[in-house]
Amino acid sequence: FRAEFLAERETLRVVFHLVDARHGPVDEDENIMEQIGQSLPRHVTYVIVLTKADKNSRSHNGRKVGKVSKKVMEDLEGAMRRAKVLFAPVILTSAETRLGRDDVWRYLKLAAET
C-alpha cells in the first residue's frame, strides 16, 4: 500500500516519519524505512522526526532539554543504513518545548511552495 501511494502521488513532496526518541526505531519503523528506501520517488523528501526529545533528560536547573541517548542514535543510524535512507535529515522535536518546530515548518513550507 505505502509503495503504491508514494509512487502514485505526483503532488507529494515530503514524507515525515515520526519515531519516538525515547525508544528509537521499532520493527515497524524499520519496515517503513525499507519501503521508503526502495520506492520513494526522487522528487519527494523523506524526513525522520524524533519526537518527545524533552522526555529523555533535564538540565541542571530542572528544565527539560532535547536529548537522545547514544543507543537510540546508534539504533536509528543502523536502521537508516540497512534501509539505505542515510540521506534523510533527522529532526529532534518536542511538543512541550517546541524544539524542532521551525525545522518541521521549513519542510512543510518546501512542500507547499512546489
Side-chain angles (χ1 to χ4, degrees), residues 17-24 48-56 67-68 91-95:
H17 181 171
L18 279 57
V19 176
D20 191 322
R22 298 170 299 176
H23 309 292
I48 297 173
V49 180
L50 289 176
T51 64
K52 301 177 182 147
D54 57 300
K55 307 293 184 198
N56 288 322
K67 199 170 190 180
V68 178
I91 301 174
L92 190 59
T93 65
S94 163

Side-chain angles (χ1 to χ4, degrees), residues 30-66:
E30 293 205 36
N31 291 338
I32 291 168
M33 287 180 196
E34 275 186 41
Q35 278 193 327
I36 294 288
Q38 294 169 359
S39 60
L40 189 72
R42 293 199 182 275
H43 70 275
V44 179
T45 302
Y46 174 55
V47 181
I48 297 173
V49 180
L50 289 176
T51 64
K52 301 177 182 147
D54 57 300
K55 307 293 184 198
N56 288 322
S57 64
R58 293 183 183 270
S59 68
H60 64 281
N61 63 4
R63 294 182 60 206
K64 292 181 178 182
V65 295

